Amino acid sequence: MPDPQLPRKITARLNELAEPDTSRRTLRHQLTSHNMTCADLADAAILPETLITAWLDGTSAISPAQLVRCAPALQMPENVLLACLGGGRDRSYWPLPQPAPDQITTST
């Protein structure tokens, strides 16, 4: 008999995994969008480059106080950037992927 708590457990685990991943992916997307390197962001935010790299690698937790220092360089509002720590995704700063035109089908 399946575990009746399984859906709740899976949802909770996915939420745990989404939080740090969303922040890392948002940072990567913004760096790419602004043609910036980790060194560029580190210089602009006055943070060690090794810290930025560790954030992106997932080997260091992202500190909200330090992340806020990145907001001006990434041209993002602080609240949007901080929401990423909780798994939030603002589509105006990190849009959903668009399918290639040849992959779009229309129904008739």
Side-chain angles (χ1 to χ4, degrees):
M1 179 167 189
D3 178 1
Q5 295 297 316
L6 188 59
R8 184 191 58 75
K9 290 176 184 176
I10 290 173
T11 300
R13 181 67 179 137
L14 287 173
N15 288 338
E16 285 175 22
L17 294 172
E19 291 175 12
D21 194 47
T22 300
S23 345
R24 284 193 304 271
R25 288 177 185 239
T26 299
L27 284 172
R28 278 195 190 107
H29 175 77
Q30 288 301 109
L31 287 171
T32 301
S33 294
H34 297 297
N35 198 28
M36 293 176 74
T37 65
C38 289
D40 295 333
L41 181 57
D43 287 343
I46 312 170
L47 292 169
E49 182 180 354
T50 54
L51 179 63
I52 305 294
T53 303
W55 287 352
L56 294 174
D57 293 343
T59 56
S60 177
I62 299 174
S63 159
Q66 292 171 325
L67 185 62
V68 165
R69 292 169 60 177
C70 299
L74 296 174
Q75 300 176 21
M76 294 180 73
E78 292 175 1
N79 63 326
V80 172
L81 198 51
L82 289 173
C84 296
L85 291 174
R89 177 179 182 161
D90 186 317
R91 291 187 184 134
S92 60
Y93 292 96
W94 185 23
L96 293 172
Q98 297 295 317
D102 63 338
Q103 299 298 312
I104 299 173
T105 58
T106 56
S107 58
T108 55

